[in-house]
Amino acid sequence: MGVKIVITSGKGGTGKTSSTAAIAEALAIIGKRVLCVDCDVGLRNLDLALGVQDEVLFDFYDAMAERVELKDAIMHHPDISNLDFLSAPSDMAPGDIDEAEFNRLFDSAAEDYDFILFDSPAGLGAGFRLAATPADMGIVVATADATSLRDGQKTVNALKERGIENVRLLVNRVQKRQFRRIRSSVDDIIDSVGAQLIGVVSEDESIPIAANLGVPIMRYGARYAFDQYERIARRICGERVYIGKI
Ligand SMILES: Nc1ncnc2c1ncn2[C@@H]1O[C@H](COP(=O)(O)OP(=O)(O)O)[C@@H](O)[C@H]1O
Ligand SMILES: [Mg+2]
């Protein structure tokens, strides 16, 4: 039975979508069967981060409305084996989608995957609730600044209120000069946010370049960030991996 993980944050632009794509790629490369689901209904963009924008035909609502079978709505990544993708409808609002039905859609799918990742929109509204509904685990993506960490704390609490106890923090877009501060305050950050760290990812300009070119992050050669994402993937699998150079 696959583990279902929601990737979320209070604020927009912290790197949820890029992180979903990179973690999914890393999990697939280490041999796990992965499905990633865009839950940003209306504003979907996980297809771009995965470099599959030209191949998407269906979305999860097509399967919910029984226009196609779920297996036909899911697409296989053309370059990365073990990596599957399910898009979000672009012409609906998150509130139009029934959470219980959405949840049921992934009950049977979980048997075919080791991990299902749900890329959440920002905020704690209907889109967040939709993405969190099926999840057994949450990863909250924040940047290292105080407002983002505070939003992260609210998001951690909101996930726990929904019964998701296994919540981890990913600090993204960390700049060199911030690393020392993060290293010295890692325990404070964990205490203030209320979740253990799953990893730290550097500011890496190849991430937006890859997304703009529409190629997968690991194919573009964001080696440094990708190595950090690979560590995160290994930690998700339960390996004891050194957190990286912080
Ligand atoms: N580690 C990083 N280094 C540099 N740019 C990043 C990093 N992570 C994300 N970005 C860029 O930040 C922007 C927002 O990222 P995105 O993943 O779309 O955030 P969200 O899904 O949280 O709104 C994108 O242009 C993305 O390429
Ligand atoms: Mg996003």
Side-chain angles (χ1 to χ4, degrees):
M1 199 65 175
V3 181
K4 291 175 262 176
I5 307 176
V6 58
I7 292 149
T8 184
S9 74
K11 274 177 65 165
T14 57
K16 295 175 289 298
T17 299
S18 328
S19 297
T20 305
I23 293 170
E25 290 169 24
L27 284 168
I29 286 164
I30 60 181
K32 303 295 175 188
R33 296 164 306 161
V34 187
L35 170 64
C36 44
V37 184
D38 195 337
C39 299
D40 205 343
V41 175
L43 296 171
R44 62 187 189 184
N45 59 2
L46 182 57
D47 54 333
L48 286 168
L50 288 165
V52 295
Q53 60 282 3
D54 297 331
E55 338 229 349
V56 177
L57 293 177
F58 298 110
D59 58 63
F60 63 71
Y61 198 75
D62 289 316
M64 288 174 74
E66 297 183 351
R67 290 192 281 260
V68 291
E69 280 191 51
L70 180 61
K71 68 173 176 40
D72 297 319
I74 290 172
M75 60 153 295
H76 306 299
H77 198 288
D79 302 324
I80 304 169
S81 51
N82 298 333
L83 179 55
D84 285 357
F85 171 65
L86 185 56
S87 189
S90 58
D91 53 355
M92 296 179 80
D96 300 335
I97 292 157
D98 186 88
E99 285 174 27
E101 266 179 49
F102 182 77
N103 192 14
R104 268 199 298 280
L105 194 63
F106 298 101
D107 275 347
S108 54
E111 285 167 23
D112 300 328
Y113 294 97
D114 298 307
F115 294 96
I116 304 184
L117 307 186
F118 297 90
D119 177 25
S120 160
L124 300 176
F128 161 78
R129 289 195 299 274
L130 186 72
T133 293
D136 324 298
M137 176 184 178
I139 296 180
V140 172
V141 182
T143 56
D145 61 280
T147 51
S148 180
L149 289 170
R150 182 171 299 168
D151 280 331
Q153 178 190 33
K154 282 196 200 140
T155 311
V156 169
N157 292 341
L159 289 169
K160 291 192 173 167
E161 277 163 22
R162 295 184 67 84
I164 303 172
E165 286 301 321
N166 184 8
V167 183
R168 308 290 295 270
L169 173 70
L170 190 164
V171 185
N172 187 26
R173 310 198 66 161
V174 178
Q175 289 167 14
K176 258 196 186 137
R177 58 185 166 76
Q178 295 174 311
F179 269 94
R180 187 171 310 172
R181 186 168 61 76
I182 288 194
R183 187 171 46 196
S184 63
S185 61
V186 115
D187 291 334
D188 293 343
I189 290 176
I190 290 169
D191 284 348
S192 73
V193 176
Q196 287 284 333
L197 207 59
I198 192 92
V200 176
V201 176
S202 306
E203 176 76 23
D204 187 330
E205 64 174 14
S206 11
I207 290 178
I209 295 174
N212 284 329
L213 293 174
V215 292
I217 288 165
M218 46 131 332
R219 285 270 183 268
Y220 186 71
R223 266 328 307 176
Y224 195 65
F226 195 73
D227 179 61
Q228 294 167 320
Y229 277 118
E230 195 185 315
R231 287 168 194 277
I232 291 168
R234 291 190 182 281
R235 295 177 127 227
I236 291 172
C237 296
E239 284 183 42
R240 294 178 67 86
V241 193
Y242 170 57
I243 205 149
K245 288 181 196 147
I246 56 167

